[in-house]
């Protein structure tokens, strides 16, 4: 057995579910409202404290690890409650992310309703690198500084820096991040670190989402870290990413959090199905803010839908099941401790940025 308590937590938009394992192998399960400010500031911390108190642990036995899946990032994105963000890009590319790939959910719709972009302002920088790495237009620090200060004066403190070909030649993104950190911007997401891939739109969208969600996520992570009981050793705090892997709190970023909560349910559903001898399953979780549906038949496919579309989502995946009553398993999302610690470098933190190139 572990030297201390183990906690597995699913922090959803409506409820927070906690599974605890004490050093003697006893299991405790609690369910709390995620938002109940009259009773407690944070459901996860309150649940941990209550379990320790009920079991008479108090400060006698420490916490070995806390592993959490959370929809904090998911809900902030769905409800448009992320941090104010500005896009920093090359001159002439301010509309590229808004135009996107021209994908339409309904190609015959006469009235096209575009979602509003997550960023509130755009700064165009006179700089360009060619696909071969040749500097087409050198960075003008004075022009860049003026544009960044204009954004800062608008009250925006978070940036997504997205430059052409930066996934391979990141020097200009790094130089702009250093200028922005000197001005006082609080969070800076660089596209070549958020998504080191060639496609400008996909890489840019990832960086914008990362800058939009990371401040919200980091506040919540800090709240949990600071609220954990102090002991001889600091408890290990892990968060589940969208890919189903666990990472330390310090490297948990907005771009990796969108399916943090749903991923735990999917991994848990697959594990439960294998134990039951089921080769093909549908996992379905209707939450308070979103509905998560996954299909597993050797490879995992998943979708996240608004809860209004829950029935349609289930019917969509149902066609993959050859004999529904015998082969399907509907599984409510729960926390799963499985996962790896593998991760990619995240966005640049608040501290000043060095000028060294890196991925």
């Amino acid at each position: 057995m572990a030297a201390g308590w183990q906690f597995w937590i699913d922090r959803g938009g409506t409820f927070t579910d906690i599974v605890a394992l004490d050093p003697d192998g006893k299991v405790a399960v609690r369910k709390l409202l995620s938002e109940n400010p009259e009773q407690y500031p944070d459901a996860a911390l309150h649940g941990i404290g209550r379990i320790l108190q009920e079991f008479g642990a108090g400060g006698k036995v420490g916490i070995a690890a806390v592993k959490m899946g959370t929809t904090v990032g998911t809900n902030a994105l769905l409800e448009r409650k992320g941090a104010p963000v500005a896009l920093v890009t090359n001159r002439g590319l301010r509309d590229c992310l808004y135009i996107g790939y021209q994908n339409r959910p309904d190609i015959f719709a006469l009235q096209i309703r575009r979602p509003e972009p997550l960023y509130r302002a755009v700064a165009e920088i006179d700089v360009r690198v060619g696909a071969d790495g040749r500097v087409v237009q050198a960075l003008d620090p004075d022009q860049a500084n003026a544009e960044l200060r204009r954004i800062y004066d608008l009250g925006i403190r978070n940036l997504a820096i997205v430059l052409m070909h930066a996934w391979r030649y990141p020097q200009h993104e790094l130089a702009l991040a250093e200028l922005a950190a000197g001005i006082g911007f609080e969070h800076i997401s660089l596209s070549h670190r958020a998504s080191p891939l060639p496609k400008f739109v996909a890489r840019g969208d990832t960086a914008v989402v990362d800058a939009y969600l990371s401040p919200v996520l980091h506040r919540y992570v800090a709240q949990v870290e600071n609220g954990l009981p102090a002991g001889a050793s600091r408890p290990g705090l892990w968060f589940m990413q969208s890919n189903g892997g666990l990472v330390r709190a310090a490297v948990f970023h907005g771009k990796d959090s969108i399916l943090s909560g749903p991923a735990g349910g999917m991994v848990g559903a697959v594990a439960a199905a294998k134990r039951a001898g089921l080769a093909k399953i549908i996992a379905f979780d209707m939450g308070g803010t979103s509905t998560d549906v996954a299909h597993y038949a050797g490879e995992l496919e998943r979708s996240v839908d608004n809860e209004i579309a829950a029935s349609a989502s289930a019917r969509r995946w149902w066609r993959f099941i050859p004999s529904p009553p015998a082969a399907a398993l509907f599984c409510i999302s729960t926390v799963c401790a499985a996962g790896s610690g593998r991760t990619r470098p995240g966005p640049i933190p608040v501290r000043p940025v060095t000028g060294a190139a890196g991925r």
Side-chain angles (χ1 to χ4, degrees), residues 108-323:
F108 297 109
L110 297 178
Q111 185 179 3
I112 302 170
R113 295 183 178 180
R114 287 181 172 275
E116 289 297 317
L118 297 179
Y119 51 88
R120 296 188 181 183
V122 180
E124 291 185 291
I125 307 299
D126 294 329
V127 66
R128 182 67 68 92
V129 172
D132 58 358
R134 182 175 56 89
V135 177
V136 177
Q137 185 173 11
L139 177 65
D140 181 351
D142 293 334
Q143 187 269 341
N145 190 68
E147 276 294 287
L148 292 173
R149 287 195 177 277
R150 179 180 65 82
I151 297 297
Y152 190 85
D153 291 340
L154 295 176
I156 298 175
R157 298 293 182 265
N158 309 288
L159 297 179
I161 301 179
V162 186
L163 299 182
M164 185 70 76
H165 307 306
W167 70 281
R168 178 169 287 175
Y169 307 103
Q171 290 84 353
H172 287 155
E173 282 195 352
L174 290 164
L176 287 172
E178 191 167 7
L179 284 173
I183 291 172
F185 285 96
E186 297 172 2
H187 180 87
I188 306 164
S189 290
L190 304 185
S191 73
H192 76 275
R193 291 187 172 179
S195 178
L197 299 171
K199 296 291 187 178
F200 180 87
V201 172
R203 176 163 48 86
D205 284 343
T206 303
V208 170
V209 167
D210 190 67
Y212 184 72
L213 297 180
S214 287
V216 176
L217 197 69
H218 291 168
R219 282 196 297 270
Y220 179 72
V221 170
Q223 176 179 300
V224 175
E225 277 189 313
N226 296 333
L228 288 174
S233 60
R234 193 69 177 166
L237 179 59
W238 299 76
F239 283 89
M240 180 163 283
Q241 301 180 105
S242 299
N243 61 13
L246 290 167
V247 292
R248 293 280 187 179
V251 291
F252 186 46
H253 302 294
K255 67 183 178 65
D256 304 316
S257 71
I258 298 174
L259 294 177
S260 170
M266 294 169 189
V267 175
V270 171
K274 288 181 176 179
R275 291 181 64 180
L278 301 177
K280 296 185 178 182
I281 67 167
I282 293 173
F284 179 89
D285 176 13
M286 184 169 179
T289 307
S290 62
T291 291
D292 313 307
V293 184
H295 159 249
Y296 178 79
E299 293 184 0
L300 190 64
E301 298 181 34
R302 63 196 180 199
S303 69
V304 179
D305 301 285
N306 186 282
E307 69 172 26
I308 296 175
S311 298
S313 299
R315 285 195 298 271
R316 174 189 169 205
W317 294 108
W318 192 256
R319 62 189 174 87
F320 290 101
I321 304 299
S323 177

